[in-house]
Amino acid sequence: MADNASPDNATDIRTAPTRTQDRPTEVTAAGIARLAGVGRAAVSNWRRRHADFPKPVGGTETSPAFALRDIEQWLRDQGKLAEVPLRERVWQQLVGHPAGAAAALRQAGAVLLLAHDRPAAWQQLRAAADDAELTGVLPAVLDAVLAARLGPGHPVRGLTREALAPSAALVRATGDLAAADGAAAAYDFLLGRHLDANPRQYTLTPPGPAALMAELAAVAGPSGTVLDPACGAGALLAAAGESTAGEGDAPGTLYGQEADADLAALTALRLALGVPDAQVRVRAADTLRADAFPDLSADAVLVHPPFNERNWGHDELAYDPRWEYGFPARTESELAWVQHALARLREGGTAVLLMPPAAASRRSGRRIRADLLRRGALRAVIALPAGAAPPNGVPLHLWVLRKPGTTPPAPQLLVVDTAGPATGAPAGRDKPDWQSVRTTAVEAWRAFDRDGGIEEQPGVRRSLAAIDLLDDDVDLAPARHLPPPAAAGGPAELARVRERLTATLARTTALTPRPDAAAAGPARWPLTTVGELARAGALVLRAGGAGTAPAGGAAPAVLTDHDVIGGGAPTGALPEAPASGPAEEPVLLQAGDVVVPVLGGGAVARVADDSTAGAALGRNLTLLRPDPAALDPWFLAGFLRGTANNRRASSYASTATRLDVRRLQLPRLPLADQRRYGQRFRDLAAFEEALRLTARLGEQLVQGLHDGLTDGAVTPD
């Protein structure tokens, strides 16, 4: 349905839907920061401090837009910009094109394909022709290259002499970018920036689900064919090409269809540049009403269909031969896409669809679901964790289908729930752990597909006989057919939990602190503040929340404010770096750092240990890194947790109390005395952690006994 793109949805260079030559190109604060190589906070500072900073020409009060030419001139006058980077220059020409960004991106993509496929011809043409000659000769050359790579009837239209006439500067700059970055990387940048700048126009399929779907389909070999009949910007087809390219082969042909003609053209160019060893056949048309590949028998079909569509062709398509398993109701557009996928598969071919969870249980679709089960077409339903793909609050499903042959398999259904493996024990991860999701889903599907069944794993996976599902509802939601994991080990596991709880209770008793003898009165220490210590160099202050995950590399987990308040392990994840720029370095924790929540945390401070070291610092957290020759970290954390101390440093101006860490106080004591206090604070932390573990084990034992008694795994005796 769409392509993966940067999670940073801020539109940094905005244009009106209809471009004119006299309307200036606009840039937001994010774009200015990118031009100058600074953070957004620096741009806000310039606006406040410099009276001559250009005034907004558009946007909103909270996200103003500025004239790009005025910004460039101001940055040069201030010595903050020597030259606009080549990538930014091409992007600015693209969004400022009189025909619009999509048309300009088609032109740039076609030029990049020419530079990629026929580099010598491109260089000769560019060197020998002036601007008028270049744009006059290009249409015929581009048509030949496009026809060779994309076949007759491709969607990259409108590359006429008249259309290219205003584009000479863009064409030459695009060629420079291809020489600097490579044609495929240059187009990835431009297309990624275009998708980022129009977040509401496209529904994006993130790379995790796209790669998982391609792996489940498992198409390999130079003769393989893959179809995506709702291809959007080509995420699934690109993932299919990448997954097989890693094994030494690319699929023979990538077929795609997209109703939006502009997006179909951009996708065709992306696939031609990104999967150069495959034939690419992308067409622009409404798939259900005007199938562009009616005679295709593909090895695999990958689809992220549009959800909850009412106008999908219900009235016109009542007698369509694709409805082999039943005519879908008007409210069941997803089941129309399921049957279209099966109709375009060869016998034994595999289809993988990303589906809303309601499609597995809506009563209006029960007859079609029942027939899919009876005939062995629907082979697996895999529940993904929430946040896998838009809409991010809904745990979507993957349906894996196999087109029945002359001897269909015994009707069995694999149900898998990856939500538990994706999150592990701690709750509230910012993003799913895709390595765990992939491992759980792929291993279960391969074992089931190989053996026709699978060993049950409560809460995670199970093989079901289709006959057991053919009731009045035909409800295929995995969670409704998986035994709860809490009772997985039966009485033996519950006995182990009880033993741990007993041992933890004994340890808690031993750790229970005794108040020392009361002092004569409150201590009258000389006090200092965190801010004064920072200025003196006794500690370093860092704010959390910055940083992005490197593309294709391992990213550290993020310690969130919830983790600090709850005493848990790091559970967050870094956002992906934007397609238009490098990854931003996060603040990484070291053992001995003190972490303080600054929003609504109350009297909380945590000392990072070896298990937390290396994690990235999350939002609404402040890190204090003490100089061990001047400050004991446990002494520092202990005094920062004082209730009166927090009240003095907190702001009560709003319902969300914010802590000014610099105003927190602690006494000036020699290092030896600090360590005495620090040891006592360390003992209190051990006692607090034992109490937390006791609570968790107690809840696990109680819930396990409830589950065991109610499902028969534990008897009342």
Side-chain angles (χ1 to χ4, degrees), residues 238-312:
E242 291 169 5
S243 66
T244 55
E247 300 170 2
D249 288 318
T253 309
L254 300 175
Y255 292 92
Q257 188 165 347
E258 168 56 42
D260 184 322
D262 282 338
L263 190 56
L266 301 182
T267 298
L269 291 165
R270 174 194 182 178
L271 295 172
L273 285 162
V275 195
D277 296 328
Q279 295 185 54
V280 175
R281 299 291 182 266
V282 177
R283 301 295 177 261
D286 182 322
T287 296
L288 296 181
R289 289 185 173 91
D291 183 10
F293 309 107
D295 301 321
L296 180 64
S297 294
D299 294 292
V301 178
L302 304 174
V303 197
H304 178 176
F307 296 162
N308 302 317
E309 270 200 339
R310 296 302 179 96
N311 184 26
W312 58 268

Side-chain angles (χ1 to χ4, degrees), residues 351-370:
V352 184
L353 287 88
L354 187 63
M355 301 282 279
S361 56
R362 280 189 300 240
R363 287 186 60 82
S364 55
R366 65 189 185 278
R367 288 190 177 89
I368 294 176
R369 293 196 299 271

Side-chain angles (χ1 to χ4, degrees), residues 45-56 74 78:
N45 273 337
W46 295 342
R47 291 187 64 196
R48 287 195 300 268
R49 294 171 49 197
H50 298 278
D52 61 340
F53 192 88
K55 302 300 181 186
W74 188 87
Q78 297 289 323

Side-chain angles (χ1 to χ4, degrees), residues 85-88 90 112 116 173-190 579-581:
L86 178 58
R87 280 186 164 194
E88 290 298 326
V90 175
L112 289 169
H116 180 274
T174 301
D176 293 339
L177 188 58
D181 293 355
Y187 189 74
D188 276 348
F189 163 75
L190 294 173
S580 54

Side-chain angles (χ1 to χ4, degrees), residues 152-175:
H154 64 78
V156 188
R157 306 292 185 182
L159 302 181
T160 64
R161 181 170 189 164
E162 293 74 21
L164 290 171
S167 306
L170 173 63
V171 167
R172 293 189 183 277
T174 301

Side-chain angles (χ1 to χ4, degrees), residues 487-502:
E493 177 62 25
L494 295 176
R496 284 191 288 272
V497 174
R498 183 180 183 277
E499 290 173 2
R500 287 189 63 198
L501 177 59
T502 302

Side-chain angles (χ1 to χ4, degrees), residues 94-181:
L94 190 147
V95 297
H97 197 281
L105 190 52
R106 281 201 308 272
Q107 297 173 7
V111 170
L112 289 169
L113 186 60
L114 170 61
H116 180 274
D117 284 8
R118 304 179 184 179
W122 160 245
Q123 292 297 338
Q124 182 180 2
L125 176 64
R126 184 182 177 198
D130 60 22
D131 286 354
E133 292 171 335
L134 180 64
T135 56
V137 175
L138 265 181
V141 178
L142 294 179
D143 281 347
V145 172
L146 292 168
R149 289 300 308 277
L150 304 179
H154 64 78
V156 188
R157 306 292 185 182
L159 302 181
T160 64
R161 181 170 189 164
E162 293 74 21
L164 290 171
S167 306
L170 173 63
V171 167
R172 293 189 183 277
T174 301
D176 293 339
L177 188 58
D181 293 355

